[in-house]
Amino acid sequence: MVREDLNFILQKADFKALEALYNTIKNSLEIKVLQAPVQQTLLQPIYEPISKGEFYGGEILVTTTIVQLTKADRSHKGWAMVQDDNDKLSLYIAVCDGCFGGDIFKEEIEELATQTLRNIQKAQKEFNQKVNSTRVNFDLMAGA
Amino acid sequence: MGYVAIKGGEEAIKNSLAFYEEAIQTHQNIEASFVENALRYGVDRVMSEGSLYSKKLASLAILKSGGDLLNASFFLRAHRSSCARAGIAKTIYTDDMRVARRISSAFKDIKGGQILGPSNDYEVKLILKKTLNKTVWNEYKDEDIFVESALKPLRDANMVKTLPKDKTISDITRVFPSAPYPRSAVMQVMARGESGSMLGFAYTSMRGYGDIHPTIGDLRLGSCEVKFTHPLTKNEVKIGEIDMTACEVAATFEKQNDGSTKLTTGFGCCFGFNETKAISMSILDTTLYNKSHTIGQGGIADNFEMIVHHIDGIESQGFTNHYKLPHYVTFQADLQVYENAKNYAKDGEKK
């Protein structure tokens, strides 16, 4: 697992587990919020096959946070950009991102992310089964 | 006639708003997450027309506007303009969509197959109470479905007409271009256009003010990944997933300037699950860029001015609704002009 995986995976984590992890981290190091969770937008380009060009399909609401974590005179910055209006989620993930980058609580973060990834994959497989159940099988009519 | 400035009505306005909120007060007992699920197609429409992908805020906007989807889109569009833009995400390729539904009416046997997905297309439209037909899902394959467009083999065989690519991508939220409109601007206008207006304009070409009769080459609904750059590591990072609808229609064969004959196609794509809008957009894309679908002097759906300036729901709703705001002076002036004209005509008769 790499640092960049966390931003998406942890958005799907059990919120209470993520909050508990954040509280544990908060109690052991100094967290300075450089940019409080703020709603921003991302402009989304879409590829269109007729001209092989792109156009902007709209904007996506995100909540962005930047933090600085300090432990034993060493500082690490953390960042998160989560979908939609989610202040706490953005803050918690930014803290995890900074920790992961600074090798602090890396094991705990990875454990939560790995478990979450399993849950994501399980939910995806269940969804895929529903989608695959609607696949059309054509039978040719006799004599046609 | 003198101009008399008036003020007042503050109390009436305040009470009117309170009355409105009281009239739909039950919405305060409904969780936005219920709306997100139970009214998902309404939520998707609001996000698409509001041009802001936020299921949470779109759901709140629907509640706040008592289910008036145009009004809800207005709330969302207004919210969008209050947020700073963080940047431009990585480009989405709809061929990379994780498919939830994908059909083609042009080809029966297509790579990836015909997948109905969640749909009530084949339901008899009678409002009857019925029990949910539970299916045992785990009997089916659990593999992901990623599949290229059904029209790709025709494109690879150079059978499909292409259009010139814009050198830069227009952003109509910053600068609204003048004619001739860049293709990227036209597509952006349509991507956030009002579904009903787009359907209406597309229908004009089917009904007789044009001659389009397209075939759905590839219609797909599913989720696409939103990616950005991590500002600290400078590596690509996944921000999330968004639901989208994309449609490619195939229209007719058209002789090109170089003497070759190519298939005309149109592309439609929008936020959320809204296939009527995506199909309408792809039809308008076809009629706008292929004059072979124009009859006589030209119709409606092939006119850039007509489409670019008349399909935005927020703008057209705003202009339409502004007429109900005080126009006392305007109307008094009209009456005065009429009285003056009448007197002038009378004087003329006397002479």
Side-chain angles (χ1 to χ4, degrees):
Chain A
M1 185 168 290
V2 294
R3 181 175 177 178
E4 289 78 16
D5 291 334
L6 298 177
N7 188 67
F8 173 70
I9 294 172
L10 291 181
Q11 290 180 57
K12 308 286 180 188
D14 174 66
F15 187 76
K16 283 184 180 164
L18 180 65
E19 193 164 49
L21 179 58
Y22 165 78
N23 285 326
T24 308
I25 296 168
K26 195 174 76 169
N27 292 334
S28 73
L29 45 81
E30 187 196 338
I31 299 173
K32 189 174 175 187
V33 179
L34 300 179
Q35 181 188 286
V38 61
Q39 286 185 34
Q40 296 180 320
T41 69
L42 274 183
L43 192 58
Q44 183 59 64
I46 314 278
Y47 172 82
E48 61 92 2
I50 298 172
S51 73
K52 294 186 170 60
E54 293 169 20
F55 68 93
Y56 295 127
E59 287 170 71
I60 294 154
L61 188 73
V62 293
T63 309
T64 313
T65 307
I66 303 173
V67 295
Q68 182 170 285
L69 315 169
T70 308
K71 189 176 187 182
D73 295 335
R74 290 195 64 189
S75 290
H76 306 278
K77 279 188 182 173
W79 170 90
M81 180 182 273
V82 304
Q83 255 189 286
D84 226 315
D85 172 23
N86 279 310
D87 286 2
K88 281 186 179 173
L89 193 60
S90 185
L91 173 66
Y92 299 168
I93 296 174
V95 168
C96 289
D97 177 74
C99 282
F100 198 91
D103 276 336
I104 313 164
F105 288 103
K106 198 170 178 179
E107 215 171 280
E108 290 85 345
I109 294 167
E110 207 157 17
E111 193 182 318
L112 178 62
T114 305
Q115 180 55 48
T116 306
L117 184 60
R118 271 191 226 113
N119 296 342
I120 293 171
Q121 286 165 342
K122 185 170 176 277
Q124 188 61 55
K125 281 180 188 300
E126 286 169 4
F127 181 78
N128 290 348
Q129 285 177 323
K130 292 177 188 172
V131 175
N132 276 308
S133 76
T134 66
R135 193 179 286 277
V136 180
N137 289 311
F138 291 102
D139 288 324
L140 291 180
M141 291 171 74
Chain B
M1 186 184 69
Y3 173 75
V4 183
I6 53 164
K7 65 172 193 171
E10 286 94 340
E11 191 180 343
I13 290 169
K14 195 176 128 224
N15 290 340
S16 173
L17 183 58
F19 190 10
Y20 172 81
E21 285 181 351
E22 203 176 283
I24 57 167
Q25 65 175 325
T26 318
H27 81 74
Q28 287 167 356
N29 305 327
I30 303 172
E31 293 282 338
S33 57
F34 294 166
V35 175
E36 201 175 311
N37 175 260
L39 302 178
R40 76 151 296 170
Y41 295 96
V43 170
D44 284 2
R45 182 169 169 168
V46 167
M47 292 193 303
S48 168
E49 294 171 14
S51 198
L52 182 67
Y53 196 100
S54 166
K55 294 225 173 201
K56 199 185 263 186
L57 297 192
S59 304
L60 285 172
I62 289 173
L63 287 172
K64 201 171 164 53
S65 55
D68 178 341
L69 299 187
L70 256 180
N71 207 355
S73 306
F74 194 174
F75 275 112
L76 212 60
R77 183 83 67 89
H79 188 82
R80 184 196 65 86
S81 64
S82 72
C83 298
R85 188 180 281 170
I88 301 174
K90 309 283 179 193
T91 302
I92 282 178
Y93 292 80
T94 51
D95 271 13
D96 296 338
M97 178 186 284
R98 189 194 295 270
V99 166
R101 168 171 163 82
R102 186 275 192 127
I103 51 174
S104 171
S105 58
F107 307 98
K108 181 167 73 72
D109 295 314
I110 43 171
K111 192 177 166 188
Q114 307 268 4
I115 300 157
L116 299 183
S119 169
N120 72 346
D121 272 0
Y122 297 98
E123 185 181 28
V124 178
K125 304 293 182 197
L126 291 174
I127 302 172
L128 300 171
K129 275 193 177 177
K130 60 174 187 179
T131 50
L132 190 68
N133 181 18
K134 282 195 177 173
T135 304
V136 182
W137 308 111
N138 58 18
E139 289 174 359
Y140 296 94
K141 287 181 183 172
D142 63 8
E143 64 203 21
D144 290 321
I145 305 166
F146 293 99
V147 62
E148 65 184 28
S149 166
L151 290 189
K152 190 165 181 294
L154 299 185
R155 288 189 198 288
D156 291 345
N158 200 24
M159 288 175 66
V160 177
K161 178 182 170 182
T162 56
L163 292 170
K165 176 181 169 179
D166 284 356
K167 285 190 180 115
T168 53
I169 315 176
S170 294
D171 179 10
I172 59 163
T173 67
R174 293 294 187 264
V175 179
F176 202 95
S178 309
Y181 304 101
R183 176 166 173 78
S184 55
V186 175
M187 297 300 277
Q188 189 182 9
V189 167
M190 292 201 285
R192 65 182 203 163
E194 201 264 326
S195 310
S197 306
M198 293 171 71
L199 174 65
F201 280 122
Y203 192 44
T204 61
S205 185
M206 300 174 222
R207 274 273 294 116
Y209 296 91
D211 76 342
I212 192 107
H213 189 285
T215 310
I216 304 290
D218 190 291
L219 172 67
R220 55 180 59 206
L221 287 74
S223 62
C224 296
E225 295 188 344
V226 177
K227 291 175 178 169
F228 194 53
T229 304
H230 193 299
L232 305 174
T233 67
K234 309 296 179 201
N235 292 327
E236 192 172 88
V237 61
K238 183 173 167 182
I239 305 301
E241 292 175 350
I242 58 171
D243 291 333
M244 296 199 73
T245 307
C247 179
E248 283 181 79
V249 291
T252 189
F253 286 94
E254 186 187 74
K255 192 156 192 178
Q256 306 301 299
N257 292 336
D258 64 359
S260 64
T261 301
K262 296 277 168 71
L263 180 67
T264 62
T265 62
F267 182 67
C269 184
C270 61
F271 281 166
F273 286 1
N274 188 345
E275 51 194 56
T276 302
K277 176 171 172 176
I279 296 169
S280 300
M281 180 171 167
S282 61
I283 290 172
L284 291 174
D285 187 31
T286 312
T287 54
L288 286 170
Y289 288 94
N290 301 288
K291 293 302 171 195
S292 55
H293 299 297
T294 301
I295 288 175
Q297 295 301 305
I300 299 165
D302 61 351
N303 184 326
F304 281 96
E305 294 291 329
M306 185 68 79
I307 301 305
V308 166
H309 292 289
H310 299 100
I311 59 167
D312 192 281
I314 317 295
E315 281 177 20
S316 53
Q317 180 210 29
F319 209 164
T320 304
N321 280 346
H322 104 278
Y323 290 122
K324 67 192 177 191
L325 299 176
H327 279 65
Y328 310 133
V329 176
T330 315
F331 190 62
Q332 288 303 319
D334 284 348
L335 283 180
Q336 186 118 26
V337 168
Y338 172 69
E339 287 299 329
N340 289 347
K342 212 162 65 174
N343 292 337
Y344 181 78
K346 261 187 201 166
D347 291 346
E349 279 170 16
K350 280 178 194 168
K351 285 175 188 172

